[in-house]
Amino acid sequence: MKEFTYTIKEPVGIHARPAGMLAKEAKTCQSTVTIVKGDKSVDATRLMALMGMGIKCGDTVTVRIEGADEDTAAPALEKFFNENL
């Protein structure tokens, strides 16, 4: 399992557009991608669950990647977060 933490910089947090982009990106991975905030965690491919997390600008999340392509998926997702969220 690979993981990294990230502080959200997107001014409106993870709402519809960024959540959709994240879910689409997560679906390209063979691995399971999980977003964790506090004591809540969701599968990153589930758009409504992501939006339901209420992740706002300044919140820190942990991204966990576990599966066959975790070694390549983790840096790709970290790059995605830095460029889009």
Side-chain angles (χ1 to χ4, degrees), residues 7 14 24 32 34 41 46 57 62 70 72-73 78-79 82:
T7 301
I14 298 183
K24 185 177 178 181
T32 301
T34 306
S41 65
R46 296 183 55 223
C57 182
T62 301
E70 64 187 37
T72 55
E78 194 160 7
K79 181 176 187 251
N82 282 315

Side-chain angles (χ1 to χ4, degrees), residues 21-69:
M21 291 168 48
L22 176 55
K24 185 177 178 181
E25 185 71 17
K27 286 177 184 174
T28 67
C29 303
Q30 294 174 0
S31 300
T32 301
V33 180
T34 306
I35 307 296
V36 181
K37 178 188 164 205
D39 60 350
K40 291 193 239 176
S41 65
V42 298
D43 180 339
T45 62
R46 296 183 55 223
L47 176 63
M48 296 308 286
L50 278 172
M51 291 171 48
M53 294 277 286
I55 300 169
K56 297 175 178 35
C57 182
D59 287 351
T60 299
V61 296
T62 301
V63 182
R64 292 190 181 132
I65 305 100
E66 187 170 8
D69 66 344

